[in-house]
Amino acid sequence: MRPTRILAVALMLTLAATACSETKHTDDGSPGTGSATDSGGPKKKGGTVTIANTAGQTWTCNFNPFNPAVYNTSIGFVYEPLVFVNALKDQAETPMLAKSYKWNADKTEIDFTIRPGVKWNDGKPFTAKDVAFTFNLMKRVKSTDLYALWTTAGLQSVAASGDHVSLKFAKAAQPYFYAFAHQVAIVPEHVFGSGAAAKNPDTWVDKKPVGTGPFEVDPCTANNIQYTANPDYWQQGKPYIQKVEYPAYLDNGPANLDLANGKAQWGSQFIPGIKQFYLDKSQDNHTWSPPVQNVSIYPNLDPSHKMSSNLKVRQAISLAIDREKVSQIGVGGQEPVANQSGIVTPTFDKYFDAGAVRKAGLDKPDPARAKKLLAGLGYSPAKPLKLTILTITGYTDWDASLKVIKQNLKAVGIDLDVQDLAQQTMVGRLYTGDYDLAYYTQQTTGPTPYYELRQTLHSANTAPLGKSAASNWERYKNPKVDDLLNAYASADETKQVDLVKQVAQYMIDDVPVIPVVEAVDWFQYNTKDIAGWPTKDNPYAQPAAYNFPDTGQVLTHLYSTSAQ
């Protein structure tokens, strides 16, 4: 699996999340308002869901929501946020532990009204004090502030009063809503406020997590996590599913086999030859993997790398690649082709200017134009430019994709040397700028293209060669792009769309990175007994089991048809 939401803390230090278009959101007190609802009303309880998602290791049975190595097995399942924001549905919101919120006029303060009647799964009441405690813990122990709210976002204070919690910021903070309302998991003060959990909240091994979510861990072993339904869950009558099994798979083979034969119902990984291996095995086997970001070639733009920093070379690479062939051969058509603007479609169609891509002649392969650009630099198929590209060993889909890219580039006059490296080695060289080209993807996603574009292009995210860059690994520096990205924070929704389109134009003009295919949220699902899955027609949450807190949304929609 490649979990797009398991975030390296270094990448998040410069996160500026997208703004929400409304200043106030409330519900009528009924659970789950704002999300897609199950047709036919409430369901009877019963059934088990088994997840097949390769982690590559056995389980540590640690569910600490402040630990990026393990938090995707706890957030959504056990721990919950204040508000769920749907990245696939134009930022549609579902009130969770906060039943409403309201900003002040200049967006420097937000007041959450905390949902009443919620209990922790140990029976103790959940209150506004727990919310304030969670955020203040992140101030006290910096390593738990995974989204840099107390530094980058300018969070100044968090206080509880009655059923209200107020967050005050030093500057307009609406762009960070997705981070503090959607991604921060609220923890109980009576657990994290004393003992070993209070002393080392970032490293404490949370074996029996106490949360407000739909499931409890019961039990966990090295080979399997078993979740059982929380009988006192605040969403009345939910969850319908009563048990979730999460086996530890060391590689994709056994996991894919369990999916194909129906032993597992929820998959979240790449399956080679998915039609023959999985879909044709049963009419109950389905797949829907929505695109969420790009897999790109990152050229080193530092002037010391004379060829990869040359615009004509980058243009030639983008023009030479047959993205459709990469998609079909590299990933069996399971990841759609990307475009040079960097806007993922159809997920973010309203931000995409197809005309701008066509005008630049980058809407389809043009090897003749690529040859001409390289000829002007003295290179040809007979006298090729030699470049090296880094990738991660074991990523067979990337290896297959790069074979196609290598052939495409050879035809126009570039001899590409593909270097398969261990993940830690490859990432280390990428982050420090020790490379010509690299095949990689950003590790953050969000409900608009702003996330990926900011991570990729803002100069605050980069660093000199030899120093580790947070996310702008290609070392792109353009003050005009920085200004556009900075303006996003105070803009209304219409202006935000325009700003993203302007930034995308620089992707087209400057070719700072070269998107190849669109990385998807890997998702396979079986409907023999389980219904209520997210689908293309009902994208109520990101569907992969490694996404948080989306897992909580999926698990509260699923139900067993045989139990009805």
Side-chain angles (χ1 to χ4, degrees), residues 69-85:
V70 300
Y71 60 14
N72 69 316
T73 57
S74 65
I75 301 177
F77 293 92
V78 180
Y79 294 105
E80 295 183 306
L82 295 172
V83 179
F84 173 73
V85 181

Side-chain angles (χ1 to χ4, degrees), residues 295-299 317 321 389 405 437-440 512-516:
V295 182
S296 302
I297 293 175
Y298 285 81
I317 293 173
I321 295 173
I389 190 166
I405 293 170
L437 306 170
Y439 200 65
Y440 204 55
V513 301
I514 303 162
V516 179

Side-chain angles (χ1 to χ4, degrees), residues 200-490:
N200 298 296
D202 53 343
T203 59
W204 177 61
V205 179
D206 187 5
K207 287 189 173 293
K208 187 69 174 175
V210 176
T212 60
F215 286 86
E216 303 175 29
V217 175
D218 181 28
C220 175
T221 67
N223 296 317
N224 186 64
I225 303 170
Q226 180 173 285
Y227 300 90
T228 56
N230 178 357
D232 297 319
Y233 187 49
W234 59 269
Q235 291 198 42
Q236 188 175 1
K238 292 188 176 186
Y240 309 129
I241 293 295
Q242 294 299 286
K243 188 181 294 183
V244 178
E245 303 286 358
Y246 205 157
Y249 293 97
L250 301 183
D251 59 69
N252 281 6
N256 289 343
L257 189 60
D258 282 353
L259 286 168
N261 63 26
K263 184 178 179 180
Q265 297 79 42
W266 188 357
S268 300
Q269 58 204 20
F270 172 64
I271 300 179
I274 190 170
K275 185 178 186 301
Q276 182 178 5
F277 183 87
Y278 176 71
L279 296 175
D280 290 348
K281 291 289 177 64
S282 170
Q283 62 181 3
D284 298 313
N285 289 345
H286 309 272
T287 186
W288 169 62
S289 299
V292 290
Q293 61 185 126
N294 292 289
V295 182
S296 302
I297 293 175
Y298 285 81
N300 194 324
L301 303 185
D302 189 88
S304 63
H305 291 253
K306 293 183 179 179
M307 290 295 99
S308 59
S309 64
N310 188 301
L311 175 59
K312 291 183 178 180
V313 171
R314 302 196 303 275
Q315 289 173 327
I317 293 173
S318 186
L319 288 163
I321 295 173
D322 187 337
R323 291 169 171 84
E324 185 63 44
K325 187 173 288 187
V326 174
S327 172
Q328 292 302 319
I329 295 176
V331 289
Q334 295 183 62
E335 290 185 322
V337 298
N339 66 83
Q340 187 53 52
S341 76
I343 304 300
V344 173
T345 63
T347 307
F348 302 128
D349 268 351
K350 75 177 183 180
Y351 300 87
F352 179 50
D353 187 348
V357 179
R358 283 195 302 271
K359 184 178 179 181
L362 293 169
D363 56 320
K364 57 184 179 296
D366 191 345
R369 185 177 163 200
K371 274 186 179 181
K372 186 175 181 180
L373 286 167
L374 291 169
L377 298 173
Y379 299 102
S380 67
K383 184 185 175 183
L385 167 63
K386 296 183 183 295
L387 290 172
T388 298
I389 190 166
L390 307 185
T391 187
I392 297 174
T393 188
Y395 283 15
T396 55
D397 51 335
W398 286 11
D399 288 337
S401 298
L402 284 167
K403 284 183 180 179
V404 177
I405 293 170
K406 181 179 175 73
Q407 292 172 352
N408 292 159
L409 297 187
K410 182 179 180 180
V412 301
I414 296 177
D415 182 6
L416 192 65
D417 177 26
V418 179
Q419 291 191 359
D420 274 288
L421 303 175
Q423 183 172 24
Q424 187 173 1
T425 303
M426 186 274 191
V427 169
R429 288 183 60 179
L430 174 68
Y431 287 11
T432 58
D434 182 18
Y435 72 98
D436 289 327
L437 306 170
Y439 200 65
Y440 204 55
T441 184
Q442 290 291 345
Q443 297 300 292
T444 61
T445 60
T448 80
Y450 167 76
Y451 279 84
E452 186 175 5
L453 290 173
R454 181 183 174 88
Q455 292 293 334
T456 302
L457 303 177
H458 202 293
S459 65
N461 299 341
T462 196
L465 288 187
K467 302 290 185 180
S468 186
S471 57
N472 180 348
W473 307 301
E474 76 279 6
R475 272 73 184 167
Y476 180 69
K477 298 177 182 178
N478 188 327
K480 293 181 180 179
V481 172
D482 288 350
D483 288 344
L484 290 169
L485 292 168
N486 292 339
Y488 188 94
S490 57

Side-chain angles (χ1 to χ4, degrees), residues 129-146:
K129 290 182 179 179
D130 292 303
V131 178
F133 168 81
T134 299
F135 284 98
N136 285 312
L137 171 64
M138 293 157 58
K139 178 182 181 181
R140 179 174 68 83
V141 183
K142 286 185 169 62
S143 55
T144 64
D145 186 11
L146 301 180

